[in-house]
Amino acid sequence: MNFLCQNCGKMYEITSLNYTCSCGGLFDFQGTFIGEMKEMVSLGEPVTPIITKSF
């Protein structure tokens, strides 16, 4: 899996510490991300309680 620059198309390794390309472009994922995951990670988003606030 790699990072692909949206502007120039340059490829970066997924282990790269860069957060933008050298041209200033943003990254897209290139490769199969879901297939490479061994188990799903969740922060419990679906069970977050809704709190009502009164004004």
Side-chain angles (χ1 to χ4, degrees), residues 18 22-23 29 31 40:
N18 297 353
S22 58
C23 75
F29 284 113
M40 294 297 291

Side-chain angles (χ1 to χ4, degrees), residues 26-41:
L26 300 177
F27 291 136
D28 274 336
F29 284 113
Q30 181 73 23
T32 310
F33 184 65
I34 300 298
E36 294 176 8
M37 292 178 57
K38 294 188 179 187
E39 62 182 75
M40 294 297 291
V41 177

Side-chain angles (χ1 to χ4, degrees), residues 5-18:
C5 176
Q6 295 176 357
N7 287 346
C8 69
K10 184 175 180 180
M11 300 283 277
Y12 286 83
E13 291 291 323
I14 193 72
T15 56
S16 169
L17 298 178
N18 297 353

Side-chain angles (χ1 to χ4, degrees), residues 38-53:
K38 294 188 179 187
E39 62 182 75
M40 294 297 291
V41 177
S42 174
L43 300 175
E45 307 85 32
V47 294
T48 304
I50 297 175
I51 300 171
T52 58
K53 184 174 182 179

